[in-house]
Amino acid sequence: MPARRSGRMLVLPVAAAAAIVAGVVVMVASTPQSASFGWFAYAPLSSTVFSPAGAVVIGWGTIAGAAVVVLGIAGLAFWAGWMLARSRAASGR
């Protein structure tokens, strides 16, 4: 029975590591391509701030990938804390 228990204990870190890898892949795949058009050499002559309509700094794919990475890291942190508490309980501290 201990072999089956150790197999169950590895499900969370493997899933969390897979989530981290998947999140990084999504973030890399969804990075916006650089634009090869437009004129930006001179500042505007007025004192107003120029903000183009529809400008996106970070896309939704990047946000979703970052969220999956954060969830994976949180899952690994939870698993590490759980294992630390189990080992301390077993040693009688």
Side-chain angles (χ1 to χ4, degrees):
M1 185 116 49
R4 187 172 181 194
R5 262 188 125 181
S6 66
R8 266 192 275 163
M9 300 306 265
L10 292 177
V11 171
L12 181 60
V14 169
I20 292 171
V21 170
V24 169
V25 168
V26 168
M27 286 173 55
V28 168
S30 67
T31 55
Q33 301 297 322
S34 61
S36 63
F37 61 89
W39 183 261
F40 53 89
Y42 300 109
L45 297 176
S46 65
S47 62
T48 60
V49 176
F50 176 71
S51 60
V56 176
V57 178
I58 297 176
W60 287 109
T62 305
I63 294 171
V68 171
V69 168
V70 167
L71 287 175
I73 291 171
L76 281 178
F78 174 78
W79 178 79
W82 187 22
M83 289 293 112
L84 183 63
R86 284 188 54 168
S87 68
R88 286 192 179 180
S91 67
R93 284 188 183 179

